C-alpha cells in the first residue's frame, strides 16, 4: 500500500496482543501501518493477568497447557509463527536463554521450582504475556509503529472519510481508520437481584459483596472473625477463600503423615460455602492417558452435518445433550478398557456396542456397565457426576460436612491419580465436544438453546468438568474445613436478607445459617449494554446491536454485541461495519477464552486469526501467504 493506515485496539490484554501478533504475521517490509493500544493496565497481561495482584492467585492450568502461539495444529489462513508454551518459556529462562526477561524475586523463585505439571501464579504468567507482547512488537517491520496509551477509551465517533475519532479519558484524540474492541471481562451494573441485596444490606447495616473479579473486590469490608455466607463454589470462590485465609496471614503445613493442616492467623472470617450443586468445581485432571488415542465417536463431523441439515431448529437439550453425554461415556470407557484392561471383564471392542445401543441415562446401560466393570469407582454416571448431591437429604449440618468432604476427597482421587486416568478420557471428550458444537452455525440453534442451554447449562457444565481449580486448592479446602474456617452449606441454598442478617436455608435440611455478611462469588454476566466500561457500552447501544433471539418459546437479549464470523460489528439493520471490529466474551462469537493448550487447533486462535485477516484486508496491509 502507498498510504499509511491506522488501527486502534481498545484493550491490550491477551486477546488484543494475540490479535496484534496475527495482524503482524500478515505484514512485510512494504507495510505502512500505525497501531495504537489503549489500556490502563500493562500490555500483554491486561487487567486480569496484571502483575499488581496477590501472589497467592494462580491459573487453573498447568504450565505445559498454556500458550499464546500458533503451531502446526492450527487450521488458519494466516502464517503459523510458533513460540514457546509457558512451560517451555520457563525452561528457556532457567537456561539463561531469555536475557530480556527480568523476573521479580518472587516470580524468579517460583520459576526455578515450577515444573510442567505445576500451576503458575498470575504474576509469573504476567511476565510471559509481557514478553510475548514485547517479542511481538519487536517483530513488526520498519514501516509499522506501535504506540501504547495507559488510558481508557471514553468514546468513539464517526469522522470524515469513514474514519473514527477516538477520544480517551485523558482528553487525547486519535483519528483511526479502524477500531478493534478487544476487551475481556468487565464489571457491569448490578442485576436486579444483586441490586436488591445491596439495598437491603444498606438498610439493615449488613455487608454485601456483589459479583466481581475477585482480585478487584473490596474484601476489607469483611471483618475478622465474622461469619460470611459465600454463594458459589467455582473459581471465583476458590480465589476468595485464598485471599481471606492465606491472604490474611494463615498458612498451610504438611504434617509428618502427609496430611495438610491449616494454621490460622486469627484474622480470618468463618466462611459458609454453598451453591446450586453444593460442591466445588471438579479438580483439574493431572493424570495422563495410557490407552487408545481419543477421538470423536458420537459427535462426529457426520453427526454434526446431519444435525445442521435436519431442517428444524436445533435444541441443545433434546438434540445435542444426549450426544454429548454419550461422547463423555465413550471417553471414559475407552480409556478404562484400553488403558486398564486388568480392571474390566471384557474388551473395548466387545463393550463399545453397548454404549451405542443404550441411551446414556438408561438403566439397561447401567446394568451392562456393572456386568463388566466390578469397581464402582471405575464406573461413570454422567448425571451423578454433574449433580453428585442431587438426591441427597441431610440429617443435620454435620451430615452436610461429611458428605461434601467425602465428595471432595473422592474427586481428588479420581482426578489426580494415574490409576484413575479415565477422568482424563472424560476431559478430552469434553474438549472434543466443545469443538464439535462450535461447528454448528449459531443461527441453527433455537432461541431457548442460544439464550439458556448453551451459555448456562452447557457452559457451566463444561467449566465444572474442565475448568476446575488446581488439586491442591481442594486439598486446602479440606484442611480449612478441618480447622473450622470453612463450613459447607450444601446444595440448593436460598438466601434472604432481613433485620437479623443474611439467612441461608435449604429444603434439603432443617435449620438455617444467619450471618452479617454475604459474598456472591462469581463473575458478573457479560452484558455489554450494562457494562461499566464506557466504550463497550457505547459499542452495544450506539455503534452496534445486542444479540436477540426469538422464537415461539423465548424472546430477549443475550447481552452480547452482534458480530460477523470475521469480527465485524453488526448494526441493528444487520449491515456490517467495515471498520469496527470486536472479539471477546462480550460478542456473539462462541466464547473460547484467550490463551489455549498447545497443539490443540484451538478455536480461540482460529477466531483471532480470522478477525486479524479481516482487519488486514480492510486496511490493505495483508501480504500473500505462501501455500
Amino acid at each position: 500500500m502507498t498510504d499509511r493506515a491506522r488501527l486502534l485496539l481498545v484493550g491490550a490484554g491477551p486477546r488484543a496482543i494475540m490479535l496484534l501478533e496475527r495482524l503482524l504475521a500478515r505484514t512485510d517490509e512494504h507495510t505502512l501501518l500505525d497501531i495504537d493500544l489503549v489500556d490502563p493496565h500493562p500490555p500483554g497481561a491486561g487487567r486480569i493477568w496484571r502483575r499488581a495482584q496477590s501472589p497467592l492467585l494462580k491459573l487453573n492450568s498447568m504450565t505445559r497447557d498454556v500458550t499464546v502461539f500458533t503451531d502446526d495444529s492450527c487450521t488458519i489462513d494466516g502464517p503459523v509463527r510458533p513460540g514457546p508454551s509457558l512451560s517451555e518459556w520457563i525452561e528457556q529462562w532457567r537456561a539463561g536463554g531469555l536475557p530480556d526477561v527480568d523476573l521479580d524475586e518472587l516470580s524468579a523463585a517460583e520459576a526455578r521450582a515450577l515444573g510442567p505439571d505445576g500451576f503458575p501464579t498470575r504474576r509469573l504468567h504476567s511476565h510471559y504475556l509481557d514478553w510475548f507482547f514485547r517479542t511481538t512488537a519487536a517483530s513488526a517491520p520498519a514501516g509499522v509503529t506501535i504506540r501504547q496509551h495507559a488510558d481508557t477509551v471514553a468514546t468513539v465517533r464517526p469522522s470524515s472519510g469513514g474514519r473514527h475519532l477516538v477520544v480517551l479519558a485523558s482528553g487525547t484524540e486519535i483519528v483511526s481508520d479502524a477500531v478493534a474492541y478487544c476487551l475481556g471481562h468487565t464489571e457491569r451494573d448490578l442485576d436486579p437481584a444483586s441490586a436488591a441485596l445491596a439495598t437491603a444490606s444498606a438498610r439493615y447495616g449488613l455487608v454485601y459483596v456483589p459479583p466481581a473479579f475477585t482480585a478487584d473486590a473490596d474484601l476489607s469490608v469483611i471483618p475478622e472473625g465474622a461469619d460470611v455466607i459465600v454463594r458459589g463454589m467455582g473459581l471465583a470462590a476458590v480465589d476468595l477463600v485464598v485471599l481471606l485465609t492465606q491472604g490474611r496471614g494463615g498458612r498451610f503445613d504438611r504434617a509428618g503423615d502427609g496430611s495438610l493442616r491449616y494454621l490460622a492467623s486469627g484474622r480470618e472470617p468463618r466462611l459458609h460455602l454453598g451453591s446450586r450443586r453444593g460442591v466445588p468445581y471438579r479438580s483439574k485432571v493431572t493424570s495422563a492417558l495410557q490407552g487408545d488415542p481419543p477421538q470423536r465417536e458420537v459427535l462426529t463431523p457426520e453427526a454434526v452435518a446431519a444435525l445442521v441439515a435436519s431442517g428444524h431448529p436445533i435444541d441443545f437439550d433434546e438434540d445435542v445433550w444426549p450426544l454429548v453425554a454419550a461422547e463423555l461415556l465413550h471417553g471414559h470407557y475407552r480409556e478404562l478398557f484400553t488403558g486398564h484392561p486388568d480392571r474390566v471383564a471384557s474388551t473395548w471392542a466387545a463393550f463399545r456396542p453397548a454404549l451405542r445401543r443404550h441411551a446414556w441415562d438408561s438403566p439397561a446401560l447401567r446394568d451392562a456397565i456393572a456386568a463388566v466393570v466390578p469397581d464402582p469407582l471405575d464406573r461413570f454416571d454422567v448425571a451423578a457426576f454433574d449433580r453428585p448431591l442431587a438426591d441427597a437429604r441431610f440429617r443435620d449440618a454435620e451430615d452436610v460436612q461429611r458428605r461434601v468432604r467425602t465428595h471432595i476427597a473422592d474427586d481428588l482421587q479420581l482426578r489426580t491419580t494415574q490409576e484413575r486416568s479415565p477422568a482424563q478420557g472424560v476431559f478430552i471428550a469434553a474438549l472434543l465436544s466443545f469443538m464439535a458444537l462450535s461447528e454448528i452455525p449459531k443461527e441453527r440453534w433455537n432461541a431457548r438453546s442460544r439464550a439458556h442451554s448453551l451459555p448456562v447449562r452447557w457452559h457451566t457444565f463444561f467449566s465444572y468438568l474442565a475448568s476446575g481449580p488446581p488439586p491442591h486448592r481442594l486439598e486446602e479446602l479440606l484442611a480449612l474445613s478441618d480447622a473450622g474456617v470453612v463450613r459447607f452449606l450444601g446444595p440448593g441454598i436460598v438466601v434472604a436478607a432481613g433485620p437479623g442478617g443474611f439467612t441461608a436455608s435449604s429444603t434439603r435440611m432443617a435449620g438455617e445459617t444467619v450471618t452479617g455478611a454475604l459474598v456472591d462469588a462469581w463473575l458478573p454476566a457479560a452484558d455489554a449494554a450494562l457494562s461499566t466500561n464506557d466504550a463497550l457500552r457505547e459499542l452495544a447501544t450506539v455503534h452496534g446491536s445486542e444479540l436477540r433471539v426469538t422464537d415461539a418459546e423465548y424472546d430477549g437479549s443475550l447481552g452480547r454485541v452482534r458480530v460477523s464470523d470475521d469480527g465485524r460489528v453488526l448494526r441493528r439493520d444487520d449491515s456490517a461495519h467495515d471498520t469496527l471490529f470486536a472479539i471477546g466474551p462480550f460478542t456473539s462469537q462462541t466464547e473460547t477464552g484467550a490463551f489455549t493448550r498447545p497443539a490443540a487447533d484451538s478455536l480461540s486462535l482460529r477466531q483471532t486469526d480470522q478477525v486479524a485477516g479481516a482487519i488486514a484486508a480492510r486496511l490493505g496491509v495483508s501480504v500473500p501467504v505462501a501455500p
Side-chain angles (χ1 to χ4, degrees):
M1 61 179 296
T2 57
D3 297 324
R4 298 194 70 83
R6 192 164 192 176
L7 168 69
L8 185 139
L9 302 184
V10 184
R15 294 176 196 274
I17 304 310
M18 292 169 75
L19 184 68
L20 175 68
E21 188 279 329
R22 291 288 78 213
L23 183 64
L24 293 179
R26 290 169 160 84
T27 62
D28 65 9
E29 68 274 14
H30 303 294
T31 303
L32 301 176
L33 176 63
D34 298 318
I35 303 173
D36 296 277
L37 295 93
V38 182
D39 197 314
H41 300 288
R47 173 195 176 202
I48 301 299
W49 308 103
R50 69 187 188 270
R51 200 165 306 157
Q53 59 182 299
S54 170
L56 296 169
L57 299 177
K58 295 187 175 185
L59 277 70
N60 69 323
S61 295
M62 292 180 279
T63 58
R64 69 183 185 198
D65 288 337
V66 176
T67 190
V68 287
F69 288 96
T70 54
D71 56 43
D72 289 340
S73 73
C74 295
T75 52
I76 56 177
D77 294 329
V80 169
R81 302 206 303 184
S85 68
L86 178 55
S87 177
E88 293 165 340
W89 178 84
I90 291 172
E91 290 175 2
Q92 290 182 18
W93 177 83
R94 283 199 293 251
L98 298 173
D100 61 334
V101 175
D102 183 21
L103 300 185
D104 60 82
E105 184 177 348
L106 278 176
S107 297
E110 179 186 357
R112 282 190 286 267
L114 192 65
D117 296 338
F119 292 84
T121 64
R122 293 179 188 165
R123 284 172 54 86
L124 179 59
H125 187 42
S126 76
H127 287 280
Y128 175 61
L129 295 173
D130 168 71
W131 173 84
F132 173 61
F133 166 67
R134 290 187 289 107
T135 303
T136 296
S139 74
V144 176
T145 66
I146 298 172
R147 299 181 180 89
Q148 305 167 41
H149 305 268
D151 210 329
T152 302
V153 172
T155 186
V156 177
R157 301 170 186 161
S159 185
S160 60
R163 308 178 84 196
H164 301 281
L165 174 66
V166 182
V167 182
L168 309 187
S170 62
T172 300
E173 296 184 351
I174 301 171
V175 177
S176 188
D177 294 293
V179 177
Y181 295 77
C182 310
L183 298 163
H185 292 284
T186 68
E187 309 299 338
R188 51 155 285 175
D189 293 343
L190 293 181
D191 62 88
S194 298
L197 286 170
T199 299
S201 175
R203 179 185 306 128
Y204 300 126
L206 309 175
V207 173
Y208 174 56
V209 179
F213 175 51
T214 309
D216 288 337
D218 181 9
L219 302 183
S220 66
V221 298
I222 298 177
E224 299 176 5
D227 286 289
V228 183
I229 296 170
V230 178
R231 288 199 298 184
M233 297 183 73
L235 297 180
V238 169
D239 286 346
L240 177 80
V241 170
V242 170
L243 293 176
L244 290 176
T245 54
Q246 289 174 277
R248 291 196 174 184
R251 63 184 180 90
F252 292 96
D253 177 64
R254 186 73 63 180
D257 61 0
S259 63
L260 193 68
R261 299 179 302 175
Y262 180 70
L263 305 178
S265 68
R267 297 172 52 215
E268 306 89 343
R270 287 180 295 274
L271 304 173
H272 303 261
L273 274 61
S275 67
R276 284 174 293 184
R277 286 188 179 90
V279 296
Y281 275 19
R282 298 280 180 168
S283 166
K284 206 73 171 185
V285 180
T286 60
S287 57
L289 292 175
Q290 61 188 54
D292 288 353
Q295 61 183 26
R296 284 162 59 178
E297 300 221 30
V298 183
L299 273 168
T300 61
E302 294 77 16
V304 171
L307 283 168
V308 173
S310 64
H312 63 79
I314 299 171
D315 184 272
F316 175 83
D317 297 303
E318 295 181 7
D319 301 325
V320 178
W321 171 249
L323 305 181
V324 172
E327 195 72 78
L328 300 179
L329 288 167
H330 277 77
H332 175 91
Y333 288 109
R334 182 195 306 109
E335 173 63 12
L336 177 64
F337 277 78
T338 65
H340 306 273
D342 56 311
R343 302 219 299 266
V344 293
S346 184
T347 65
W348 176 233
F351 176 73
R352 185 172 168 231
L355 294 178
R356 298 296 186 96
R357 188 166 54 249
H358 302 297
W360 68 275
D361 57 349
S362 70
L365 179 59
R366 286 193 288 271
D367 292 343
I369 292 169
V372 294
V373 183
D375 185 352
L377 283 179
D378 279 332
R379 302 170 194 166
F380 182 64
D381 184 307
V382 178
F385 178 88
D386 184 18
R387 302 286 177 176
L389 301 178
D391 299 322
R393 293 293 183 271
F394 306 99
R395 295 189 303 274
D396 51 31
E398 291 310 310
D399 190 29
V400 175
Q401 311 313 306
R402 181 185 61 81
R403 297 282 289 274
V404 175
R405 288 174 52 84
T406 298
H407 165 82
I408 295 173
D410 288 347
D411 185 62
L412 282 170
Q413 180 185 0
L414 290 171
R415 308 273 284 181
T416 64
T417 56
Q418 187 55 33
E419 67 266 25
R420 301 299 175 185
S421 65
Q424 186 68 257
V426 175
F427 172 71
I428 298 297
L431 290 179
L432 293 174
S433 298
F434 187 92
M435 300 286 280
L437 266 60
S438 72
E439 297 168 8
I440 300 175
K442 295 184 289 291
E443 62 272 12
R444 291 292 291 111
W445 296 100
N446 65 12
R448 181 180 67 169
S449 296
R450 296 187 72 179
H452 178 78
S453 301
L454 288 166
V456 179
R457 181 182 179 185
W458 168 237
H459 183 74
T460 55
F461 174 80
F462 182 82
S463 298
Y464 168 72
L465 183 160
S467 298
H472 67 271
R473 291 303 193 204
L474 294 182
E475 189 182 11
E476 290 169 0
L477 201 59
L478 291 177
L480 289 166
S481 173
D482 283 336
V485 175
V486 163
R487 298 279 290 175
F488 300 112
L489 297 173
I493 63 166
V494 176
V495 172
F502 292 108
T503 302
S505 60
S506 171
T507 58
R508 310 283 193 89
M509 181 187 70
E512 57 188 25
T513 298
V514 181
T515 70
L518 167 67
V519 180
D520 278 340
W522 58 78
L523 284 176
D527 195 322
L530 299 176
S531 173
T532 56
N533 183 286
D534 292 337
L536 180 53
R537 197 164 188 151
E538 179 185 65
L539 178 65
T541 58
V542 178
H543 303 307
S545 56
E546 288 186 276
L547 175 62
R548 294 187 67 89
V549 290
T550 303
D551 63 14
E553 296 184 12
Y554 182 88
D555 174 43
S557 170
L558 302 192
R560 297 178 179 235
V561 176
R562 291 197 305 145
V563 296
S564 62
D565 289 341
D566 59 5
R568 291 184 298 163
V569 175
L570 299 177
R571 302 181 181 89
R572 289 183 176 83
D573 64 2
D574 294 335
S575 63
H577 280 278
D578 291 330
T579 54
L580 290 183
F581 299 83
I583 187 171
F586 60 90
T587 71
S588 58
Q589 289 184 328
T590 300
E591 187 170 351
T592 61
F595 37 83
T596 184
R597 293 160 61 96
D601 189 20
S602 79
L603 183 58
S604 69
L605 287 172
R606 283 186 275 148
Q607 281 183 351
T608 305
D609 186 76
Q610 187 174 10
V611 175
I615 294 172
R618 173 60 191 175
L619 296 178
V621 301
S622 189
V623 297
V625 178

